[in-house]
Amino acid sequence: MDPPTSPARVVKVLGRVGARGIFTEVRVESLTFPRMQMLKAVKGPVRLGDIITINDVYQDIEFPK
């Protein structure tokens, strides 16, 4: 069974991360939940405004206690 996926738009490109800089850290805004933004590490070329697919959106959400 495939994990749930969700489309997201790149809002800001923050820079390279990782031991050798192979990932790009970006701030994305979910298209299914418009006011939710999160930081993701993306492998491969990415630009501002790109639409990327995020696996398991609920894993990154921190709910208030």
Side-chain angles (χ1 to χ4, degrees):
M1 190 157 122
D2 293 331
T5 60
S6 174
R9 178 180 291 116
V10 176
V11 176
K12 186 174 185 179
V13 178
L14 300 172
R16 297 294 212 168
V17 293
R20 296 196 171 117
I22 60 172
F23 293 103
T24 305
E25 190 171 32
V26 295
R27 178 172 295 277
V28 296
E29 181 181 56
S30 175
L31 295 178
T32 54
F33 305 106
R35 295 184 52 95
M36 184 186 352
Q37 290 188 354
M38 61 192 90
L39 295 175
K40 297 299 283 183
V42 179
K43 189 173 182 180
V46 65
R47 293 185 297 191
L48 187 67
D50 283 353
I51 305 295
I52 60 174
T53 302
I54 297 176
N55 295 333
D56 198 11
V57 173
Y58 296 109
Q59 179 181 5
D60 294 332
I61 298 174
E62 294 179 12
F63 293 102
K65 296 180 182 178

Tab-separated table of all heavy atoms in Angstrom:
chain	number	residue	atom	x	y	z
A	1	MET	N	0.839	-1.178	0.000
A	1	MET	CA	0.000	0.000	0.000
A	1	MET	C	0.882	1.239	0.000
A	1	MET	O	1.835	1.345	0.766
A	1	MET	CB	-0.878	-0.027	1.246
A	1	MET	CG	-1.942	1.002	1.232
A	1	MET	SD	-3.270	0.479	2.323
A	1	MET	CE	-3.322	1.824	3.425
A	2	ASP	N	0.596	2.187	-0.867
A	2	ASP	CA	1.391	3.398	-0.977
A	2	ASP	C	1.088	4.354	0.177
A	2	ASP	O	-0.060	4.447	0.621
A	2	ASP	CB	1.098	4.109	-2.297
A	2	ASP	CG	1.571	3.304	-3.496
A	2	ASP	OD1	2.545	2.547	-3.324
A	2	ASP	OD2	0.975	3.437	-4.576
A	3	PRO	N	2.095	5.099	0.643
A	3	PRO	CA	1.838	6.086	1.695
A	3	PRO	C	1.021	7.245	1.137
A	3	PRO	O	1.095	7.539	-0.066
A	3	PRO	CB	3.232	6.544	2.105
A	3	PRO	CG	4.085	6.257	0.934
A	3	PRO	CD	3.492	5.044	0.276
A	4	PRO	N	0.235	7.913	1.983
A	4	PRO	CA	-0.556	9.046	1.492
A	4	PRO	C	0.357	10.191	1.071
A	4	PRO	O	1.373	10.459	1.709
A	4	PRO	CB	-1.408	9.439	2.696
A	4	PRO	CG	-0.722	8.868	3.866
A	4	PRO	CD	0.010	7.660	3.397
A	5	THR	N	0.009	10.841	-0.030
A	5	THR	CA	0.803	11.956	-0.539
A	5	THR	C	-0.058	13.201	-0.636
A	5	THR	O	-1.286	13.122	-0.691
A	5	THR	CB	1.395	11.637	-1.923
A	5	THR	OG1	0.322	11.377	-2.821
A	5	THR	CG2	2.322	10.438	-1.864
A	6	SER	N	0.620	14.343	-0.660
A	6	SER	CA	-0.078	15.615	-0.739
A	6	SER	C	0.771	16.589	-1.552
A	6	SER	O	1.983	16.653	-1.365
A	6	SER	CB	-0.295	16.160	0.669
A	6	SER	OG	-0.846	17.444	0.619
A	7	PRO	N	0.156	17.369	-2.449
A	7	PRO	CA	0.933	18.363	-3.196
A	7	PRO	C	1.217	19.595	-2.334
A	7	PRO	O	0.423	19.962	-1.468
A	7	PRO	CB	0.020	18.720	-4.370
A	7	PRO	CG	-1.356	18.464	-3.858
A	7	PRO	CD	-1.231	17.312	-2.902
A	8	ALA	N	2.374	20.223	-2.574
A	8	ALA	CA	2.748	21.427	-1.830
A	8	ALA	C	3.530	22.355	-2.755
A	8	ALA	O	4.229	21.912	-3.661
A	8	ALA	CB	3.589	21.062	-0.617
A	9	ARG	N	3.393	23.656	-2.510
A	9	ARG	CA	4.079	24.678	-3.310
A	9	ARG	C	5.282	25.204	-2.525
A	9	ARG	O	5.180	25.499	-1.338
A	9	ARG	CB	3.138	25.837	-3.611
A	9	ARG	CG	3.796	26.966	-4.397
A	9	ARG	CD	2.851	28.110	-4.699
A	9	ARG	NE	1.850	27.661	-5.662
A	9	ARG	CZ	0.543	27.589	-5.405
A	9	ARG	NH1	0.076	27.935	-4.227
A	9	ARG	NH2	-0.291	27.183	-6.322
A	10	VAL	N	6.422	25.348	-3.207
A	10	VAL	CA	7.627	25.876	-2.577
A	10	VAL	C	7.459	27.381	-2.393
A	10	VAL	O	7.246	28.111	-3.353
A	10	VAL	CB	8.885	25.571	-3.427
A	10	VAL	CG1	10.109	26.217	-2.811
A	10	VAL	CG2	9.077	24.082	-3.569
A	11	VAL	N	7.541	27.836	-1.132
A	11	VAL	CA	7.350	29.242	-0.801
A	11	VAL	C	8.696	29.953	-0.673
A	11	VAL	O	8.829	31.111	-1.061
A	11	VAL	CB	6.561	29.378	0.520
A	11	VAL	CG1	6.415	30.808	0.942
A	11	VAL	CG2	5.205	28.721	0.390
A	12	LYS	N	9.706	29.238	-0.126
A	12	LYS	CA	11.012	29.857	0.082
A	12	LYS	C	12.093	28.788	0.026
A	12	LYS	O	11.920	27.712	0.589
A	12	LYS	CB	11.032	30.549	1.451
A	12	LYS	CG	12.262	31.355	1.729
A	12	LYS	CD	12.121	32.105	3.038
A	12	LYS	CE	13.322	33.009	3.244
A	12	LYS	NZ	13.193	33.766	4.486
A	13	VAL	N	13.170	29.074	-0.663
A	13	VAL	CA	14.322	28.174	-0.709
A	13	VAL	C	15.330	28.688	0.311
A	13	VAL	O	15.796	29.818	0.222
A	13	VAL	CB	14.945	28.145	-2.122
A	13	VAL	CG1	16.165	27.246	-2.140
A	13	VAL	CG2	13.918	27.681	-3.150
A	14	LEU	N	15.642	27.839	1.312
A	14	LEU	CA	16.490	28.284	2.420
A	14	LEU	C	17.968	28.001	2.213
A	14	LEU	O	18.807	28.732	2.701
A	14	LEU	CB	15.999	27.629	3.720
A	14	LEU	CG	14.552	27.979	4.077
A	14	LEU	CD1	14.084	27.150	5.238
A	14	LEU	CD2	14.433	29.445	4.378
A	15	GLY	N	18.319	26.931	1.535
A	15	GLY	CA	19.731	26.654	1.296
A	15	GLY	C	20.022	25.169	1.310
A	15	GLY	O	19.137	24.336	1.482
A	16	ARG	N	21.304	24.852	1.168
A	16	ARG	CA	21.741	23.460	1.116
A	16	ARG	C	21.957	22.913	2.517
A	16	ARG	O	22.444	23.623	3.398
A	16	ARG	CB	23.046	23.352	0.337
A	16	ARG	CG	22.926	23.767	-1.100
A	16	ARG	CD	22.038	22.821	-1.841
A	16	ARG	NE	22.472	22.714	-3.221
A	16	ARG	CZ	22.020	21.801	-4.038
A	16	ARG	NH1	21.149	20.916	-3.646
A	16	ARG	NH2	22.433	21.757	-5.263
A	17	VAL	N	21.603	21.647	2.716
A	17	VAL	CA	21.813	20.974	3.995
A	17	VAL	C	22.344	19.576	3.732
A	17	VAL	O	22.330	19.085	2.605
A	17	VAL	CB	20.503	20.885	4.829
A	17	VAL	CG1	20.048	22.255	5.264
A	17	VAL	CG2	19.415	20.188	4.072
A	18	GLY	N	22.802	18.935	4.779
A	18	GLY	CA	23.338	17.591	4.657
A	18	GLY	C	24.852	17.613	4.711
A	18	GLY	O	25.488	18.659	4.611
A	19	ALA	N	25.437	16.456	4.873
A	19	ALA	CA	26.883	16.341	5.014
A	19	ALA	C	27.617	16.867	3.783
A	19	ALA	O	28.657	17.508	3.898
A	19	ALA	CB	27.263	14.882	5.269
A	20	ARG	N	27.088	16.619	2.609
A	20	ARG	CA	27.737	17.073	1.371
A	20	ARG	C	26.875	18.070	0.598
A	20	ARG	O	27.147	18.360	-0.565
A	20	ARG	CB	28.046	15.867	0.489
A	20	ARG	CG	29.039	14.951	1.160
A	20	ARG	CD	29.640	14.000	0.180
A	20	ARG	NE	30.727	13.274	0.805
A	20	ARG	CZ	30.742	11.979	0.996
A	20	ARG	NH1	29.731	11.237	0.621
A	20	ARG	NH2	31.771	11.401	1.568
A	21	GLY	N	25.819	18.553	1.220
A	21	GLY	CA	24.968	19.543	0.567
A	21	GLY	C	24.112	18.978	-0.541
A	21	GLY	O	23.819	19.671	-1.506
A	22	ILE	N	23.679	17.713	-0.400
A	22	ILE	CA	22.899	17.107	-1.479
A	22	ILE	C	21.410	17.417	-1.366
A	22	ILE	O	20.669	17.220	-2.316
A	22	ILE	CB	23.110	15.580	-1.536
A	22	ILE	CG1	22.694	14.924	-0.233
A	22	ILE	CG2	24.541	15.259	-1.864
A	22	ILE	CD1	22.688	13.418	-0.276
A	23	PHE	N	20.972	17.928	-0.212
A	23	PHE	CA	19.570	18.282	-0.025
A	23	PHE	C	19.421	19.796	-0.011
A	23	PHE	O	20.331	20.521	0.374
A	23	PHE	CB	19.031	17.731	1.294
A	23	PHE	CG	18.961	16.239	1.335
A	23	PHE	CD1	19.909	15.503	2.023
A	23	PHE	CD2	17.954	15.564	0.690
A	23	PHE	CE1	19.848	14.132	2.072
A	23	PHE	CE2	17.873	14.188	0.724
A	23	PHE	CZ	18.833	13.474	1.415
A	24	THR	N	18.257	20.267	-0.441
A	24	THR	CA	17.922	21.680	-0.369
A	24	THR	C	16.772	21.826	0.618
A	24	THR	O	15.747	21.168	0.472
A	24	THR	CB	17.479	22.215	-1.747
A	24	THR	OG1	18.498	21.928	-2.699
A	24	THR	CG2	17.241	23.701	-1.701
A	25	GLU	N	16.970	22.670	1.625
A	25	GLU	CA	15.901	22.891	2.600
A	25	GLU	C	14.964	23.961	2.067
A	25	GLU	O	15.406	25.048	1.684
A	25	GLU	CB	16.477	23.308	3.949
A	25	GLU	CG	15.447	23.310	5.047
A	25	GLU	CD	16.058	23.516	6.409
A	25	GLU	OE1	17.073	24.225	6.512
A	25	GLU	OE2	15.509	22.980	7.369
A	26	VAL	N	13.671	23.651	2.034
A	26	VAL	CA	12.672	24.578	1.502
A	26	VAL	C	11.501	24.689	2.468
A	26	VAL	O	11.226	23.780	3.246
A	26	VAL	CB	12.145	24.117	0.117
A	26	VAL	CG1	13.237	24.149	-0.913
A	26	VAL	CG2	11.512	22.761	0.181
A	27	ARG	N	10.833	25.839	2.422
A	27	ARG	CA	9.576	26.017	3.151
A	27	ARG	C	8.468	25.819	2.136
A	27	ARG	O	8.473	26.457	1.077
A	27	ARG	CB	9.491	27.400	3.763
A	27	ARG	CG	8.174	27.644	4.505
A	27	ARG	CD	8.168	28.934	5.260
A	27	ARG	NE	9.134	28.953	6.335
A	27	ARG	CZ	8.919	28.430	7.545
A	27	ARG	NH1	7.791	27.843	7.806
A	27	ARG	NH2	9.848	28.505	8.468
A	28	VAL	N	7.545	24.907	2.448
A	28	VAL	CA	6.456	24.600	1.522
A	28	VAL	C	5.110	24.897	2.169
A	28	VAL	O	4.977	24.876	3.393
A	28	VAL	CB	6.503	23.124	1.058
A	28	VAL	CG1	7.751	22.851	0.274
A	28	VAL	CG2	6.376	22.179	2.218
A	29	GLU	N	4.132	25.185	1.325
A	29	GLU	CA	2.759	25.419	1.763
A	29	GLU	C	1.891	24.336	1.147
A	29	GLU	O	1.893	24.147	-0.071
A	29	GLU	CB	2.298	26.794	1.302
A	29	GLU	CG	0.892	27.137	1.718
A	29	GLU	CD	0.493	28.504	1.216
A	29	GLU	OE1	0.574	28.729	-0.011
A	29	GLU	OE2	0.121	29.338	2.045
A	30	SER	N	1.176	23.623	1.988
A	30	SER	CA	0.330	22.535	1.529
A	30	SER	C	-0.819	23.086	0.680
A	30	SER	O	-1.411	24.114	1.010
A	30	SER	CB	-0.233	21.766	2.730
A	30	SER	OG	-1.130	20.782	2.298
A	31	LEU	N	-1.131	22.399	-0.411
A	31	LEU	CA	-2.244	22.827	-1.260
A	31	LEU	C	-3.571	22.251	-0.781
A	31	LEU	O	-4.627	22.790	-1.092
A	31	LEU	CB	-1.977	22.424	-2.709
A	31	LEU	CG	-0.778	23.115	-3.358
A	31	LEU	CD1	-0.574	22.593	-4.773
A	31	LEU	CD2	-0.952	24.607	-3.371
A	32	THR	N	-3.522	21.165	-0.005
A	32	THR	CA	-4.762	20.604	0.531
A	32	THR	C	-5.184	21.324	1.808
A	32	THR	O	-6.374	21.454	2.077
A	32	THR	CB	-4.612	19.103	0.811
A	32	THR	OG1	-3.482	18.892	1.653
A	32	THR	CG2	-4.439	18.335	-0.477
A	33	PHE	N	-4.202	21.792	2.599
A	33	PHE	CA	-4.456	22.596	3.798
A	33	PHE	C	-3.729	23.923	3.597
A	33	PHE	O	-2.565	24.058	3.968
A	33	PHE	CB	-3.933	21.898	5.056
A	33	PHE	CG	-4.460	20.514	5.243
A	33	PHE	CD1	-3.642	19.419	5.015
A	33	PHE	CD2	-5.762	20.307	5.635
A	33	PHE	CE1	-4.123	18.140	5.186
A	33	PHE	CE2	-6.250	19.031	5.801
A	33	PHE	CZ	-5.430	17.943	5.585
A	34	PRO	N	-4.370	24.945	3.006
A	34	PRO	CA	-3.671	26.140	2.516
A	34	PRO	C	-2.879	26.930	3.562
A	34	PRO	O	-1.890	27.550	3.221
A	34	PRO	CB	-4.793	27.006	1.948
A	34	PRO	CG	-5.896	26.073	1.661
A	34	PRO	CD	-5.776	24.971	2.664
A	35	ARG	N	-3.258	26.916	4.817
A	35	ARG	CA	-2.549	27.722	5.805
A	35	ARG	C	-1.428	26.957	6.509
A	35	ARG	O	-0.778	27.499	7.396
A	35	ARG	CB	-3.530	28.277	6.822
A	35	ARG	CG	-4.518	29.249	6.181
A	35	ARG	CD	-5.430	29.884	7.171
A	35	ARG	NE	-4.753	30.495	8.276
A	35	ARG	CZ	-4.413	31.776	8.359
A	35	ARG	NH1	-4.694	32.571	7.351
A	35	ARG	NH2	-3.817	32.249	9.408
A	36	MET	N	-1.187	25.713	6.121
A	36	MET	CA	-0.153	24.910	6.764
A	36	MET	C	1.161	25.027	5.984
A	36	MET	O	1.211	24.751	4.791
A	36	MET	CB	-0.566	23.439	6.828
A	36	MET	CG	0.433	22.617	7.570
A	36	MET	SD	0.198	20.834	7.618
A	36	MET	CE	-1.333	20.506	6.931
A	37	GLN	N	2.208	25.457	6.683
A	37	GLN	CA	3.537	25.526	6.092
A	37	GLN	C	4.480	24.658	6.898
A	37	GLN	O	4.311	24.504	8.107
A	37	GLN	CB	4.062	26.961	6.078
A	37	GLN	CG	3.350	27.848	5.120
A	37	GLN	CD	4.024	29.200	4.993
A	37	GLN	OE1	4.955	29.507	5.711
A	37	GLN	NE2	3.528	30.005	4.072
A	38	MET	N	5.479	24.081	6.231
A	38	MET	CA	6.452	23.239	6.926
A	38	MET	C	7.783	23.289	6.190
A	38	MET	O	7.854	23.706	5.038
A	38	MET	CB	5.941	21.807	7.034
A	38	MET	CG	5.692	21.131	5.702
A	38	MET	SD	4.803	19.616	5.848
A	38	MET	CE	3.149	20.219	5.721
A	39	LEU	N	8.832	22.881	6.887
A	39	LEU	CA	10.164	22.795	6.294
A	39	LEU	C	10.390	21.376	5.805
A	39	LEU	O	10.089	20.416	6.506
A	39	LEU	CB	11.237	23.160	7.317
A	39	LEU	CG	11.234	24.586	7.816
A	39	LEU	CD1	12.274	24.748	8.905
A	39	LEU	CD2	11.502	25.542	6.686
A	40	LYS	N	10.943	21.248	4.612
A	40	LYS	CA	11.237	19.926	4.055
A	40	LYS	C	12.619	19.958	3.418
A	40	LYS	O	13.050	20.985	2.912
A	40	LYS	CB	10.215	19.538	2.970
A	40	LYS	CG	8.793	19.413	3.437
A	40	LYS	CD	8.608	18.357	4.486
A	40	LYS	CE	8.612	16.980	3.891
A	40	LYS	NZ	8.354	15.922	4.864
A	41	ALA	N	13.289	18.821	3.441
A	41	ALA	CA	14.557	18.656	2.735
A	41	ALA	C	14.244	17.953	1.415
A	41	ALA	O	13.666	16.872	1.404
A	41	ALA	CB	15.529	17.846	3.567
A	42	VAL	N	14.607	18.578	0.309
A	42	VAL	CA	14.281	18.080	-1.019
A	42	VAL	C	15.571	17.688	-1.726
A	42	VAL	O	16.552	18.433	-1.722
A	42	VAL	CB	13.538	19.166	-1.837
A	42	VAL	CG1	13.217	18.668	-3.224
A	42	VAL	CG2	12.282	19.603	-1.117
A	43	LYS	N	15.560	16.515	-2.335
A	43	LYS	CA	16.719	16.064	-3.106
A	43	LYS	C	16.441	16.339	-4.581
A	43	LYS	O	15.390	15.966	-5.093
A	43	LYS	CB	16.949	14.575	-2.878
A	43	LYS	CG	18.232	14.066	-3.464
A	43	LYS	CD	18.472	12.631	-3.067
A	43	LYS	CE	19.778	12.127	-3.613
A	43	LYS	NZ	20.017	10.734	-3.234
A	44	GLY	N	17.360	17.005	-5.234
A	44	GLY	CA	17.187	17.339	-6.639
A	44	GLY	C	16.954	18.821	-6.822
A	44	GLY	O	16.834	19.574	-5.866
A	45	PRO	N	16.868	19.269	-8.075
A	45	PRO	CA	16.688	20.695	-8.336
A	45	PRO	C	15.290	21.168	-7.947
A	45	PRO	O	14.294	20.482	-8.193
A	45	PRO	CB	16.906	20.811	-9.846
A	45	PRO	CG	16.616	19.456	-10.377
A	45	PRO	CD	16.996	18.488	-9.308
A	46	VAL	N	15.224	22.328	-7.310
A	46	VAL	CA	13.939	22.899	-6.897
A	46	VAL	C	14.051	24.417	-6.972
A	46	VAL	O	15.102	24.994	-6.715
A	46	VAL	CB	13.541	22.422	-5.476
A	46	VAL	CG1	14.513	22.923	-4.433
A	46	VAL	CG2	12.138	22.830	-5.128
A	47	ARG	N	12.942	25.056	-7.393
A	47	ARG	CA	12.888	26.513	-7.502
A	47	ARG	C	11.664	27.028	-6.766
A	47	ARG	O	10.753	26.282	-6.440
A	47	ARG	CB	12.788	26.943	-8.963
A	47	ARG	CG	14.012	26.647	-9.777
A	47	ARG	CD	13.883	27.205	-11.158
A	47	ARG	NE	12.759	26.554	-11.846
A	47	ARG	CZ	12.506	26.671	-13.133
A	47	ARG	NH1	13.267	27.420	-13.880
A	47	ARG	NH2	11.491	26.047	-13.677
A	48	LEU	N	11.644	28.318	-6.555
A	48	LEU	CA	10.516	28.987	-5.927
A	48	LEU	C	9.278	28.818	-6.801
A	48	LEU	O	9.324	29.021	-8.010
A	48	LEU	CB	10.844	30.476	-5.765
A	48	LEU	CG	9.846	31.314	-4.984
A	48	LEU	CD1	9.831	30.878	-3.523
A	48	LEU	CD2	10.197	32.761	-5.088
A	49	GLY	N	8.175	28.391	-6.213
A	49	GLY	CA	6.928	28.211	-6.952
A	49	GLY	C	6.704	26.811	-7.476
A	49	GLY	O	5.627	26.519	-8.004
A	50	ASP	N	7.686	25.932	-7.358
A	50	ASP	CA	7.520	24.547	-7.814
A	50	ASP	C	6.481	23.822	-6.970
A	50	ASP	O	6.322	24.094	-5.779
A	50	ASP	CB	8.840	23.779	-7.717
A	50	ASP	CG	9.805	24.127	-8.831
A	50	ASP	OD1	9.409	24.857	-9.752
A	50	ASP	OD2	10.958	23.659	-8.763
A	51	ILE	N	5.787	22.892	-7.582
A	51	ILE	CA	4.842	22.023	-6.878
A	51	ILE	C	5.544	20.687	-6.657
A	51	ILE	O	5.987	20.051	-7.612
A	51	ILE	CB	3.550	21.806	-7.697
A	51	ILE	CG1	2.911	23.150	-8.063
A	51	ILE	CG2	2.581	20.922	-6.930
A	51	ILE	CD1	2.414	23.950	-6.889
A	52	ILE	N	5.660	20.277	-5.395
A	52	ILE	CA	6.295	19.006	-5.069
A	52	ILE	C	5.292	18.116	-4.348
A	52	ILE	O	4.267	18.596	-3.856
A	52	ILE	CB	7.562	19.199	-4.204
A	52	ILE	CG1	7.220	19.885	-2.881
A	52	ILE	CG2	8.612	19.995	-4.956
A	52	ILE	CD1	8.395	19.961	-1.932
A	53	THR	N	5.569	16.840	-4.316
A	53	THR	CA	4.703	15.877	-3.632
A	53	THR	C	5.343	15.508	-2.302
A	53	THR	O	6.517	15.134	-2.253
A	53	THR	CB	4.527	14.614	-4.482
A	53	THR	OG1	3.981	14.994	-5.751
A	53	THR	CG2	3.583	13.645	-3.819
A	54	ILE	N	4.565	15.625	-1.237
A	54	ILE	CA	5.047	15.312	0.103
A	54	ILE	C	4.393	14.016	0.550
A	54	ILE	O	3.173	13.848	0.427
A	54	ILE	CB	4.689	16.438	1.079
A	54	ILE	CG1	5.382	17.720	0.658
A	54	ILE	CG2	5.073	16.063	2.489
A	54	ILE	CD1	5.016	18.887	1.499
A	55	ASN	N	5.216	13.111	1.068
A	55	ASN	CA	4.694	11.856	1.606
A	55	ASN	C	4.320	12.035	3.063
A	55	ASN	O	5.087	12.596	3.839
A	55	ASN	CB	5.740	10.744	1.497
A	55	ASN	CG	6.049	10.414	0.056
A	55	ASN	OD1	5.215	10.600	-0.815
A	55	ASN	ND2	7.249	9.949	-0.182
A	56	ASP	N	3.156	11.554	3.442
A	56	ASP	CA	2.695	11.512	4.832
A	56	ASP	C	2.766	12.880	5.507
A	56	ASP	O	3.618	13.135	6.350
A	56	ASP	CB	3.503	10.482	5.625
A	56	ASP	CG	2.795	10.073	6.909
A	56	ASP	OD1	1.613	10.421	7.070
A	56	ASP	OD2	3.427	9.398	7.729
A	57	VAL	N	1.861	13.773	5.147
A	57	VAL	CA	1.827	15.123	5.681
A	57	VAL	C	1.621	15.113	7.187
A	57	VAL	O	2.200	15.915	7.912
A	57	VAL	CB	0.700	15.935	4.999
A	57	VAL	CG1	0.538	17.283	5.644
A	57	VAL	CG2	0.993	16.083	3.535
A	58	TYR	N	0.831	14.196	7.695
A	58	TYR	CA	0.502	14.191	9.110
A	58	TYR	C	1.695	13.846	9.989
A	58	TYR	O	1.690	14.116	11.174
A	58	TYR	CB	-0.635	13.209	9.383
A	58	TYR	CG	-1.909	13.625	8.693
A	58	TYR	CD1	-2.391	12.922	7.600
A	58	TYR	CD2	-2.602	14.747	9.112
A	58	TYR	CE1	-3.544	13.308	6.957
A	58	TYR	CE2	-3.752	15.150	8.472
A	58	TYR	CZ	-4.215	14.422	7.396
A	58	TYR	OH	-5.348	14.825	6.758
A	59	GLN	N	2.748	13.275	9.437
A	59	GLN	CA	3.931	12.949	10.210
A	59	GLN	C	4.653	14.210	10.660
A	59	GLN	O	5.249	14.259	11.735
A	59	GLN	CB	4.881	12.098	9.368
A	59	GLN	CG	6.154	11.711	10.067
A	59	GLN	CD	7.055	10.891	9.166
A	59	GLN	OE1	6.758	10.697	7.998
A	59	GLN	NE2	8.139	10.414	9.693
A	60	ASP	N	4.604	15.282	9.875
A	60	ASP	CA	5.340	16.511	10.170
A	60	ASP	C	4.550	17.495	11.026
A	60	ASP	O	5.100	18.496	11.469
A	60	ASP	CB	5.729	17.199	8.869
A	60	ASP	CG	6.711	16.385	8.067
A	60	ASP	OD1	7.468	15.625	8.694
A	60	ASP	OD2	6.702	16.488	6.829
A	61	ILE	N	3.278	17.248	11.271
A	61	ILE	CA	2.448	18.175	12.015
A	61	ILE	C	2.687	17.984	13.507
A	61	ILE	O	2.687	16.877	14.013
A	61	ILE	CB	0.958	17.967	11.706
A	61	ILE	CG1	0.693	18.224	10.226
A	61	ILE	CG2	0.100	18.879	12.556
A	61	ILE	CD1	-0.718	17.898	9.812
A	62	GLU	N	2.905	19.104	14.214
A	62	GLU	CA	3.003	19.062	15.661
A	62	GLU	C	1.722	19.669	16.221
A	62	GLU	O	1.489	20.873	16.113
A	62	GLU	CB	4.212	19.846	16.136
A	62	GLU	CG	5.534	19.227	15.711
A	62	GLU	CD	6.717	20.042	16.185
A	62	GLU	OE1	6.521	20.951	17.020
A	62	GLU	OE2	7.819	19.769	15.722
A	63	PHE	N	0.892	18.841	16.818
A	63	PHE	CA	-0.363	19.300	17.381
A	63	PHE	C	-0.129	19.878	18.774
A	63	PHE	O	0.673	19.349	19.542
A	63	PHE	CB	-1.368	18.156	17.461
A	63	PHE	CG	-1.810	17.664	16.105
A	63	PHE	CD1	-1.305	16.500	15.565
A	63	PHE	CD2	-2.727	18.384	15.362
A	63	PHE	CE1	-1.708	16.050	14.328
A	63	PHE	CE2	-3.139	17.953	14.123
A	63	PHE	CZ	-2.626	16.778	13.605
A	64	PRO	N	-0.796	20.973	19.139
A	64	PRO	CA	-0.632	21.524	20.489
A	64	PRO	C	-1.176	20.566	21.546
A	64	PRO	O	-2.139	19.847	21.312
A	64	PRO	CB	-1.453	22.814	20.454
A	64	PRO	CG	-2.304	22.733	19.240
A	64	PRO	CD	-1.694	21.729	18.309
A	65	LYS	N	-0.514	20.562	22.690
A	65	LYS	CA	-0.915	19.651	23.783
A	65	LYS	C	-1.865	20.316	24.739
A	65	LYS	O	-1.966	21.452	24.891
A	65	LYS	CB	0.317	19.164	24.528
A	65	LYS	CG	1.200	18.334	23.640
A	65	LYS	CD	2.409	17.868	24.386
A	65	LYS	CE	3.298	17.070	23.439
A	65	LYS	NZ	4.506	16.614	24.056
